[in-house]
Structures are given as structure tokens and as C-alpha cells.
């Protein structure tokens, strides 16, 4: 648009480069706690006066993430304009180079995502708590590694958009259900998850025909090699 | 609702979360000592220290998580320390 | 001459993000693996230069530094910007960072280059932002160690090589003359040996002492020539990065 063109002419190439760098930094910082990034926050904290060239800056930000880091900036909510960073690269397998500490919470998250997926995509919260109890995790008690388990599951994972935790309508007393969150939809490979579940059961993942069909046709699986 | 449930039954294996939990406990090397009462009431045995980390490491490859950037410099405002006499 | 980044470089960078710091040996293995998976035959120094060229506009850098304890080389992914945006970092709360500044003060002021947990817990009780209770302070200290900013041994805390490599510009600016510098390698020296000649008092890292005085039965201060009275540590074989 001519307005954007005029706006672009007001800024030097260096100034735009600098803005791109600031947005990249901002997004990396928000990603420390895996908090999805709102376009409104980028505008408020970083872009400010550069709003007319927002689109151009964001294009270059996306390119920077891909070309320098091998990461993808994905819009998970098209109405509210919320973004997350996901990985484009396959991780290195094997012991020689696997030096990083790892996050035990991902184990907890995996269990919940698996139960939700294997049971059709929506489950009542009791199924989650009962499964976790069998794994020696009591939502009522403080856990050495996870602390307040209920808080981690219903607040932290929900804030990060790994899970959705919503009221079931017309329930009295109120009951809640769990679903995969918008981040999980983009970040988790259903096929690989089903493969691991198959390993645990010593079963061919294709035996779960419904789940296998969904895992094979869901968008993210086509990206895995 | 009911249709989807019957579909899951008709097509392919069912999924039992209790059995899933049992398999996970085995994967996480649950110590099933008979005389260990643990803190979990009637659930016997205990999970070794790195159990959840072991599960996390294996489950990691199902995720396309971006690594995060952590740093110390620039995370707080630089302020000179209070004046202190260095003993010579 | 700027080279494009390939998936091998990106994978290396991602691993640096996850780990924060790697030893030269680990970096060598990582480099080898990245080249195996994604092609590339550059030597590791050129390989890292390519990454650094692309990180420069983002005020990030993979920097080399030596451990004060064993003299081993390490690679650290550092941030170089200090702005309102970088201060939005979420790893630590404001009072936890204030405690970290106090710990740095204690360590820099000390002769040993370390601070006792007692001294640190005292500081935690005197924070301006929000006091930390003993239990809370102990948890934060553990986190600092886990995140590789501090090292702990027998209740004494020292700055890790990751911390020194990233914070060096900050420390030189903030502490100015208060900060000890190694006579041999010219880097910041917190844990070091000191010449006992009162009009000399040069500082030398233990690994630098080992290297400088190796195979000398009669060590003398490189600055004033007085006898060097301290125990000369054994030199550790440098681990190759291939
Ligand atoms: Zn030195
Ligand atoms: Zn001297």
C-alpha cells in the first residue's frame, strides 16, 4: 500500500534491521517460558512507531528465525494473532551429543497428551487425575519435582497452550474436560507419539486404526522424515 | 458421543489408560518392593529419582520444541556495587 | 567473505542454546555430528565464525573462554545487548537477580574468588527488592548452579566459566580497578595465585601458573623476579576439539 511505502521511506535500512533484531530478541525472551507471543505485545513493547511497516518487519523476523536458527514462527490463533516458535530441525539422537539436561515436565505432559489423543481428543478431567495417581502423582499433594501438580497441569500447561482446560456445559456441579491446546497441535507429532505408545504396549501402532488414521493425516506428521 | 465411542470399539484396539500407566511405570523402572510402603498409601513401590526425566527424554522426540535462549548479561540493570574498602 | 548458514550450523546453534556452554571436546563432537548429518567439511573455528556472523546483528555470540579451575577451553553462547527488552528475561525474579549481583560483589571483593553460603544467605536477608527466606535462597542458589552460572564446592560458591565469559564486559565496567586480572593471559582472574612481593602482587590463574612454570624447578615471578612461593599445579592436557 502507498501508506506502507511512505512509511518505509521514513526509516533507514539500518533502522529496520535494528527493529527486526529487537523483535527477534523479544520473541526469544517470551519463548523462555514457552508463553505464546501476542502481536499486540510486539506492537506495544517493540515495534511502537514502526506499525506501518509491521508486515515487512515480521516477514524478515520469520526469515531470520528460519535461516539463522532453523525455527519456525507459527501463528496459532489467526483471530487474536498469537505466535509460537517451533523447531524445523530433527534433534540429534544418540548419547554422544545428548548433553542437555532435559525437562521432567515434558514427561508429565506426554502422559496427558497421549491419554487425550488415544481416547478421541476430549476427556473428562477425572481420567487425567486417575491416570496420574497410578503414576504416583497426586494432584492434591506437593511433588518433589513438579510441586503443585494440579497447578502445573491446569495453569502452566494451559497458559503455554499445550492443553485446553474447559468447563463442560450444563454440568452441575461443574466438571472440566481436557483437550490438546493450539501449541500441542503444531508442536507434537501424533505419529511419533503413537509410535511410542505402541512401544510401551509392545503393539503395532496401526492396531489403533482410528488414531493411526488421524496421526497419518494430521498436518504436522507430513513434516516428519 | 455414543457414535464415536462405538466407532473406536469397532475399528482397532481399545486404549486402556490403566494399562498405559502400568507400562509407563515399567518404563520408568518402578521399584516394586513388596515391603516398601512408600508415601502413597496403598500403592506399593516407588519411582527412582530420574524416572520422569527418563520418560521426558524419550518423549522429547515426539515434540518439535524450539530451544530457548538463556542469558545473564542484560537481564538486570547494571549498577555499581556499594563502595567497599579493599584490604591491601 | 560471508558464508550462508546450513542446517548443520543451525543444529549446532540450537544445541548451544540448549546447553548454554560446552567444553571444547563436546563442541568438537557436536561439530562432527552436525557435519555428518547435514554435510560440510569446515574446520570448527570457521564453522563457528559463520554462525557468529549471522548472530552479530542479534547481539549474540559464541565466545571461547578458559575455566579458572582446570584450564579447559569452553564455548559459551552469550548475549551482548543490555536494553529494556533484554531486561524482560524470565528465568529469574527481580530479587533473585539482586541476590546474584550481591554474590558477584562478594566474590569479586574476596581474595579467594569465592563466597561462603553463610555470607550469601546473610545478603539474601538484606535485599532491597524483596527479602529471600533461607529456604528460598537455598533453592535459588541450587538453580544458579543447575543453570551453570555458579559452581559450588564444600559450601563455597564461585563464578562458573559460563558466567565469567558472558559477564566479563559487565564486570570490567562495574568493578573497574577492583577486579583482578591475570598477568599471563590478561583475562579476569577471580581464583588465582598472587605474588607475595608487596610492591608487585601480580595475579595469575592456576592453569596459567601451571603452563608458565611447567618444567621449571625454580619458579620466579614474571613481573618482579621474586621467588614464586606457591605450589605449582600440574598442567592438565588440553582436550582437543579436533
Ligand atoms: Zn590466566
Ligand atoms: Zn612479583
Amino acid at each position: 500500500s502507498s501508506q506502507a511505502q511512505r512509511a518505509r521511506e521514513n526509516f533507514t535500512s539500518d533502522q529496520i534491521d535494528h527493529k527486526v533484531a529487537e523483535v527477534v530478541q523479544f520473541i526469544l525472551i517470551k519463548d523462555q517460558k514457552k508463553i505464546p507471543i501476542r502481536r499486540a505485545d510486539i506492537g506495544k513493547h517493540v515495534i511502537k512507531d514502526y506499525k506501518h511497516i509491521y508486515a515487512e518487519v515480521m516477514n524478515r523476523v520469520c526469515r531470520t528465525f528460519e535461516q539463522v536458527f532453523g525455527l519456525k514462527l507459527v501463528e496459532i490463533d489467526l483471530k487474536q494473532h498469537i505466535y509460537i516458535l517451533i523447531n524445523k530441525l530433527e534433534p540429534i539422537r544418540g548419547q554422544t551429543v545428548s548433553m542437555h539436561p532435559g525437562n521432567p515436565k515434558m514427561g508429565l505432559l506426554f502422559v496427558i497428551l497421549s491419554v487425550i489423543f488415544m481416547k478421541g481428543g476430549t476427556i473428562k478431567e477425572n481420567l487425567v487425575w486417575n491416570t496420574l495417581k497410578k503414576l504416583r502423582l497426586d494432584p492434591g499433594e506437593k511433588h518433589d519435582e513438579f510441586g503443585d501438580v494440579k497447578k502445573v497441569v491446569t495453569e502452566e500447561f494451559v497458559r503455554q497452550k499445550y492443553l485446553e482446560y474447559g468447563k463442560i456445559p450444563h454440568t452441575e456441579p461443574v466438571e472440566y474436560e481436557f483437550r490438546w491446546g493450539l501449541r500441542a497441535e503444531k508442536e507434537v507429532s501424533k505419529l511419533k507419539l503413537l509410535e511410542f505408545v505402541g512401544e510401551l504396549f509392545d503393539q503395532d501402532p496401526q492396531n489403533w486404526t482410528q488414531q493411526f488414521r488421524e496421526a497419518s493425516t494430521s498436518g504436522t506428521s507430513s513434516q516428519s522424515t | 458421543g455414543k457414535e464415536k465411542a462405538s466407532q473406536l470399539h469397532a475399528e482397532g484396539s481399545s486404549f486402556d489408560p490403566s494399562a498405559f500407566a502400568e507400562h509407563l511405570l515399567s518404563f520408568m523402572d518402578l521399584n516394586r518392593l513388596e515391603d516398601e510402603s512408600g508415601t502413597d498409601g496403598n500403592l506399593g513401590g516407588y519411582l527412582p529419582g530420574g524416572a520422569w526425566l527418563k520418560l521426558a527424554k524419550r518423549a522429547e522426540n515426539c515434540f518439535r520444541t524450539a530451544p530457548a535462549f538463556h542469558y545473564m548479561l542484560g537481564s538486570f540493570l547494571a549498577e555499581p556495587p556499594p563502595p567497599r574498602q579493599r584490604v591491601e | 567473505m560471508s558464508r550462508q548458514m546450513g542446517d548443520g550450523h543451525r543444529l549446532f546453534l540450537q544445541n548451544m542454546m540448549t546447553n548454554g556452554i560446552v567444553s571444547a571436546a563436546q563442541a568438537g563432537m557436536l561439530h562432527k555430528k552436525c557435519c555428518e548429518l547435514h554435510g560440510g567439511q569446515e574446520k570448527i573455528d570457521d564453522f563457528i565464525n559463520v554462525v557468529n556472523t549471522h548472530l552479530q546483528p542479534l547481539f549474540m555470540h559464541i565466545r571461547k573462554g578458559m575455566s579458572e579451575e582446570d584450564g579447559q577451553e569452553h564455548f559459551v553462547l552469550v548475549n551482548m545487548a543490555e536494553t529494556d527488552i533484554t531486561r524482560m528475561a524470565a528465568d529469574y525474579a527481580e530479587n533473585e537477580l539482586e541476590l546474584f549481583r550481591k554474590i558477584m560483589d562478594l566474590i569479586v571483593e574476596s581474595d579467594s574468588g569465592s563466597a561462603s553460603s553463610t555470607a550469601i544467605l546473610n545478603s539474601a536477608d538484606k535485599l532491597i527488592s524483596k527479602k529471600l527466606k533461607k529456604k528460598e535462597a537455598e533453592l535459588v542458589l541450587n538453580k544458579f548452579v543447575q543453570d551453570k552460572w555458579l559452581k559450588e564446592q564444600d559450601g563455597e560458591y564461585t563464578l562458573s566459566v559460563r558466567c565469567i565469559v558472558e559477564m566479563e564486559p559487565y564486570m570490567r565496567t562495574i568493578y573497574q580497578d577492583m577486579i583482578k586480572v591475570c598477568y599471563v593471559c590478561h583475562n579476569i582472574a577471580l581464583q588465582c595465585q598472587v605474588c607475595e612481593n608487596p610492591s608487585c602482587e601480580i595475579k595469575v590463574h592456576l592453569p596459567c601458573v601451571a603452563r608458565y612454570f611447567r618444567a621449571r624447578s625454580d619458579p620466579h615471578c614474571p613481573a618482579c623476579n621474586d621467588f614464586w612461593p606457591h605450589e605449582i599445579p600440574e598442567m592438565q592436557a588440553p582436550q582437543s576439539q579436533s
Side-chain angles (χ1 to χ4, degrees):
Chain A
S1 76
S2 63
Q3 186 181 44
Q5 209 172 353
R6 261 182 281 122
R8 202 178 305 126
E9 285 156 17
N10 286 334
F11 302 106
T12 66
S13 171
D14 277 351
Q15 283 174 316
I16 299 180
D17 284 346
H18 194 76
K19 254 325 141 181
V20 171
E22 285 188 319
V23 175
V24 169
Q25 284 173 334
F26 182 79
I27 291 171
L28 283 173
I29 290 160
K30 286 292 173 205
D31 197 51
Q32 284 176 337
K33 295 277 191 229
K34 294 294 168 196
I35 306 296
I37 305 115
R38 304 176 166 274
R39 181 200 276 189
D41 288 337
I42 300 177
K44 178 173 155 198
H45 292 287
V46 193
I47 292 203
K48 301 186 237 189
D49 307 323
Y50 290 61
K51 287 209 170 87
H52 291 299
I53 54 165
Y54 177 87
E56 178 175 345
V57 170
M58 286 312 288
N59 272 337
R60 293 182 50 183
V61 165
C62 288
R63 276 212 309 274
T64 303
F65 276 120
E66 294 200 12
Q67 286 171 4
V68 179
F69 297 92
L71 301 176
K72 203 157 182 220
L73 189 64
V74 176
E75 196 166 3
I76 56 169
D77 188 325
L78 298 167
K79 260 192 287 178
Q80 294 191 58
H81 303 295
I82 303 178
Y83 302 92
I84 58 165
L85 271 178
I86 61 171
N87 208 332
K88 285 184 74 183
L89 303 177
E90 291 293 319
I92 298 180
R93 306 268 211 105
Q95 283 182 318
T96 39
V97 222
S98 162
M99 324 149 206
H100 66 273
N103 182 3
K105 276 181 189 165
M106 288 315 233
L108 172 60
L109 179 61
F110 164 79
V111 172
I112 301 170
L113 289 174
S114 301
V115 175
I116 298 172
F117 173 66
M118 297 303 287
K119 287 304 246 181
T122 308
I123 56 173
K124 285 196 178 163
E125 63 174 320
N126 278 331
L127 189 50
V128 170
W129 307 130
N130 290 338
T131 307
L132 293 184
K133 278 205 187 95
K134 295 202 170 73
L135 298 172
R136 317 308 195 238
L137 285 182
D138 192 331
E141 287 175 10
K142 191 162 185 273
H143 186 259
D144 282 341
E145 272 173 304
F146 304 129
D148 185 339
V149 173
K150 186 155 195 232
K151 205 170 177 202
V152 171
V153 174
T154 61
E155 290 181 26
E156 190 176 323
F157 287 160
V158 172
R159 200 167 42 234
Q160 295 170 331
K161 298 207 186 285
Y162 278 116
L163 295 175
E164 272 175 26
Y165 181 63
K167 292 195 190 130
I168 303 175
H170 316 302
T171 50
E172 196 66 47
V174 175
E175 284 172 54
Y176 284 83
E177 60 189 10
F178 279 104
R179 272 193 202 106
W180 277 35
L182 293 172
R183 179 189 286 272
E185 292 291 342
K186 296 285 184 200
E187 201 176 296
V188 182
S189 161
K190 288 177 174 145
L191 201 55
K192 288 189 177 160
L193 184 146
L194 187 60
E195 274 169 17
F196 183 28
V197 173
E199 276 176 36
L200 288 166
F201 278 86
D202 196 15
Q203 232 187 89
D204 186 343
Q206 295 195 44
N207 285 351
W208 289 288
T209 39
Q210 190 92 339
Q211 293 89 336
F212 185 78
R213 191 181 307 136
E214 185 176 336
S216 308
T217 55
S218 87
T220 47
S221 73
S222 56
Q223 289 172 6
S224 57
T225 36
Chain B
K2 237 205 279 194
E3 245 177 60
K4 194 168 190 184
S6 61
Q7 256 189 330
L8 279 170
H9 265 290
E11 302 194 46
S13 308
S14 61
F15 175 79
D16 176 13
S18 293
F20 183 51
E22 280 301 310
H23 291 300
L24 284 167
L25 289 172
S26 294
F27 179 86
M28 292 196 276
D29 306 313
L30 174 80
N31 269 286
R32 296 176 195 273
L33 300 178
E34 292 307 313
D35 53 352
E36 193 84 33
S37 57
T39 52
D40 344 296
N42 50 7
L43 291 170
Y46 62 94
L47 285 170
W52 284 100
L53 192 59
K54 183 184 177 191
L55 178 63
K57 285 227 137 188
R58 173 56 185 88
E60 243 173 35
N61 87 316
C62 305
F63 290 80
R64 266 175 284 265
T65 313
F69 177 45
H70 301 283
Y71 57 90
M72 189 57 85
L73 181 77
S75 65
F76 54 85
L77 197 54
E79 279 160 354
R84 200 80 72 97
Q85 196 84 50
R86 260 191 75 83
V87 181
E88 292 298 333
Chain C
M1 182 165 108
S2 67
R3 273 208 53 212
Q4 288 290 65
M5 278 187 76
D7 276 351
H9 301 97
R10 296 172 190 125
L11 196 54
F12 188 93
L13 175 56
Q14 285 195 16
N15 273 270
M16 289 304 302
M17 287 166 79
T18 306
N19 291 294
I21 175 173
V22 297
S23 68
Q26 288 171 326
M29 287 193 293
L30 185 57
H31 166 245
K32 189 167 167 218
K33 197 77 194 196
C34 290
C35 290
E36 254 171 53
L37 289 171
H38 298 287
Q41 285 147 344
E42 293 155 294
K43 292 213 299 274
I44 190 171
D45 286 324
D46 295 329
F47 184 87
I48 291 179
N49 278 340
V50 171
V51 179
N52 276 336
T53 305
H54 288 82
L55 287 178
Q56 189 184 25
L58 304 170
F59 301 94
M60 291 164 69
H61 192 78
I62 297 175
R63 191 175 293 156
K64 221 179 188 181
M66 181 195 81
S67 159
E68 293 194 326
E69 276 104 29
D70 59 14
Q72 296 294 340
E73 289 283 333
H74 290 79
F75 288 94
V76 183
L77 177 65
V78 305
N79 170 48
M80 298 192 298
E82 297 183 68
T83 65
D84 286 338
I85 292 173
T86 62
R87 283 186 280 273
M88 293 169 121
D91 287 337
Y92 296 101
E94 194 190 338
N95 61 344
E96 295 170 340
L97 290 173
E98 193 193 338
L99 181 64
F100 192 80
R101 281 206 301 285
K102 290 263 181 324
I103 295 171
M104 279 201 290
D105 289 349
L106 288 168
I107 288 174
V108 168
E109 285 158 9
S110 74
D111 289 331
S112 59
S114 66
S116 69
S117 60
T118 316
I120 294 172
L121 292 173
N122 276 341
S123 295
D125 195 45
K126 299 195 184 89
L127 296 174
I128 299 173
S129 44
K130 188 185 164 201
K131 291 196 227 299
L132 282 164
K133 291 179 265 216
K134 182 164 185 270
K135 259 244 152 81
E136 293 173 320
E138 282 169 352
L139 283 172
V140 178
L141 275 175
N142 276 343
K143 193 156 188 277
F144 286 144
V145 172
Q146 251 190 356
D147 293 346
K148 305 175 199 166
W149 298 115
L150 297 178
K151 275 195 112 146
E152 184 270 337
Q153 189 155 19
D154 304 323
E156 287 287 311
Y157 288 86
T158 52
L159 299 188
S160 69
V161 53
R162 180 187 189 181
C163 182
I164 297 173
V165 170
E166 185 172 63
M167 297 300 283
E168 171 149 2
Y170 167 94
M171 289 198 285
R172 285 196 192 253
T173 308
I174 290 295
Y175 297 108
Q176 306 236 327
D177 293 332
M178 257 177 80
I179 205 134
K180 305 181 293 222
V181 173
C182 175
Y183 186 85
V184 170
C185 73
H186 311 297
N187 287 316
I188 289 179
L190 296 170
Q191 298 173 75
C192 54
Q193 292 182 350
V194 186
C195 175
E196 288 190 350
N197 179 352
S199 50
C200 176
E201 293 190 328
I202 60 153
K203 333 280 188 249
V204 185
H205 288 120
L206 276 79
C208 295
V209 169
R211 232 168 260 149
Y212 187 81
F213 288 126
R214 74 177 177 278
R216 285 184 218 215
S217 52
D218 196 24
H220 288 271
C221 172
C224 72
N225 216 38
D226 268 19
F227 179 68
W228 193 263
H230 308 287
E231 184 185 337
I232 311 295
E234 288 267 310
M235 200 171 95
Q236 303 223 0
Q239 295 186 346
S240 78
Q241 48 184 66
S242 63

